[in-house]
Amino acid sequence: MSSLLESIEKEAKRRSYVAMIRCLQSYRGKVEEAIEEFHHGTRAFYRANDEYVPHWQGESREAYELVYGDLRQIEAHIYATADELLHEISREIARIQRKIEEIQ
């Protein structure tokens, strides 16, 4: 009887872990989609930048260059944060998978 109970408990834990992994995989997919959408936006920005900015001069060009520099830093920070987040999600998935292997 206790063997059956232990087996049921293990299966419940396994299913719980599998559900956690699915949630994390879904979350990872949403993060990847958001980064891809951000990437499309930055490409559009750079295309517009290449087309229009070379013609700007004076104060407007100087002000734009300051904003442009800030945008580049923000972009780099977003990509670095996304990479960290995706790495941590993958680590957590691997940790949960190890737990599944331990209970089997």
Side-chain angles (χ1 to χ4, degrees), residues 76-86:
H77 182 70
I78 288 171
Y79 282 124
T81 301
D83 286 345
E84 282 180 39
L85 180 58
L86 291 171

Side-chain angles (χ1 to χ4, degrees), residues 12-77:
K13 275 187 181 181
R14 189 191 70 74
R15 287 180 187 222
S16 174
Y17 290 147
V18 168
M20 287 180 200
I21 288 173
R22 285 188 185 133
C23 287
L24 286 167
Q25 288 170 333
S26 174
Y27 180 54
R28 181 174 53 198
K30 290 178 192 293
V31 170
E32 289 169 344
E33 286 176 17
I35 291 303
E36 186 61 30
E37 188 173 324
F38 178 75
H39 186 67
H40 288 302
T42 58
R43 282 195 311 234
F45 170 76
Y46 290 126
R47 281 192 303 274
N49 180 72
D50 292 344
E51 186 173 334
Y52 297 108
V53 174
H55 308 293
W56 292 359
Q57 297 175 4
E59 287 182 32
S60 62
R61 175 67 180 253
E62 291 171 15
Y64 175 80
E65 291 297 333
L66 292 173
V67 171
Y68 180 81
D70 289 346
L71 289 173
R72 294 290 298 207
Q73 287 179 350
I74 292 167
E75 176 189 13
H77 182 70

